Amino acid sequence: MYGSCSSTPARSGRAAASWARTRAWCLPSSASGTQAAVAPLWNVDDKVANDFAQGFYKAVLKGGTAPAEYLRRRRAGTLGAAGADLSTPLAYLFFGHPRLTVQWTA
């Protein structure tokens, strides 16, 4: 998961430019054998992004939730939210098969 507050340039005012940069980050990962990636389209709030990432890894690695399903639920949970609580979960895109699940063995 790419999730830093400055994963995409702050000065990019166009969604298309931001989308191209995010996609460009994910393509090399997929070429190296990575099956999926999660990345924000725009700058995100550090605290909300941290909470998002912790919830994501807990749900995906321990709870068996598909990454795409976790993002769908978090987006649905933004109803009635404002500010960073709204914009941060909406910033993330999932690049991968929508039914992909993760099996983690330590």
Side-chain angles (χ1 to χ4, degrees):
M1 171 185 279
Y2 301 104
S4 73
C5 64
S6 59
S7 293
T8 56
R11 294 188 183 120
S12 175
R14 293 194 250 165
S18 184
W19 160 253
R21 284 183 195 90
T22 300
R23 185 174 177 270
W25 278 29
C26 294
L27 288 177
S29 296
S30 64
S32 69
T34 301
Q35 294 185 12
V38 176
L41 279 174
W42 54 81
N43 290 341
V44 294
D45 178 81
D46 281 341
K47 182 184 179 322
V48 179
N50 183 49
D51 294 344
F52 183 92
Q54 287 185 19
F56 174 85
Y57 286 116
K58 182 178 179 182
V60 171
L61 298 180
K62 295 181 181 177
T65 302
E69 177 62 16
Y70 179 80
L71 266 67
R72 186 195 68 76
R73 289 178 188 170
R74 283 301 302 263
R75 285 188 188 110
T78 63
L79 187 62
D85 290 332
L86 170 64
S87 64
T88 295
L90 295 177
Y92 287 96
L93 289 182
F94 174 69
F95 295 85
H97 193 283
R99 293 190 181 147
L100 174 87
T101 58
V102 178
Q103 295 179 341
W104 180 263
T105 55

